[in-house]
Each structure stands twice: as C-alpha cells, then as structure tokens.
Amino acid sequence: MADKLRTQQELERLQAKYIGTGHPDTTSWEWKTNIHRDTNASIVGHPPLLSYLALAQNEPVAKVRARLIRQMLQPVGPPPPREGEELVVSTRQVTDS
C-alpha cells in the first residue's frame, strides 16, 4: 500500500513540475496542443532537424522556422467551447455594389 501511495505522490509531483505531463482534468485539446507545441519547439531549436525539414519541403530554412513558430499559437485549432458557453457565430452581410 505504501508503494502505491508513494507512486501516486511522485506522479502528482511530476505533473505539478512539468505542465506537458497533464493531469486528470487535462482535455484532449490541451494535450494535443502541448504535444504539437513541444514538437515544433524541438524542430525550431535543433538546426539540423530544421534544415532537414526545410530540404524535404523545398523551402528556405527561415520560412520553415517562421511557419513553425506561427503554428505554435493554435497548433490544433481554436479551443472547443466549454460547458455552459454558447458558440458565438458572426454573420457578415454581403452587399452587392
């Protein structure tokens, strides 16, 4: 029983220390966002990997780096609506001029 409690305490300590490890309340969207951001940050932070990706995509390294950094804002799209929140849909009127 003590081993199980110790293991649980260690897991909670790691989850508090490292955001990306998640916790029981982590949503699928949050987990996917963390994984994508970590991957993009790793690619940007390792020049040989960034060069390989740029070569494979036939793009300049600076362009690939800029695209990966922009993707970190919302790598898997906007967050899903929370319970109790209404989805606000904006409508634009198109006028014929």
Side-chain angles (χ1 to χ4, degrees), residues 40-41 43-45 50-51 53-54 57 59-75:
N40 287 350
I43 292 171
V44 168
L50 183 63
S51 297
L53 189 61
Q57 294 177 352
E59 295 280 341
V61 173
K63 197 172 189 179
V64 173
R65 177 183 290 120
R67 188 179 70 246
L68 289 172
I69 291 172
R70 273 194 311 273
Q71 284 178 351
M72 284 188 203
L73 293 175
Q74 286 189 339

Side-chain angles (χ1 to χ4, degrees), residues 15-96:
Q15 288 172 340
K17 185 175 181 181
Y18 301 108
I19 301 298
T21 57
H23 51 81
D25 296 330
T26 301
T27 64
S28 173
W29 180 84
E30 290 172 331
W31 187 80
K32 289 176 192 174
T33 299
N34 285 336
I35 297 300
H36 282 272
R37 284 185 179 149
D38 287 349
T39 301
N40 287 350
S42 180
I43 292 171
V44 168
H46 293 89
L49 190 54
L50 183 63
S51 297
Y52 177 76
L53 189 61
L55 179 66
Q57 294 177 352
N58 197 22
E59 295 280 341
V61 173
K63 197 172 189 179
V64 173
R65 177 183 290 120
R67 188 179 70 246
L68 289 172
I69 291 172
R70 273 194 311 273
Q71 284 178 351
M72 284 188 203
L73 293 175
Q74 286 189 339
V76 292
R82 295 184 181 148
E83 289 183 28
E85 290 182 359
E86 293 181 20
L87 181 62
V88 177
V89 178
S90 64
T91 57
R92 289 190 320 186
Q93 293 180 347
V94 179
T95 58
D96 294 329

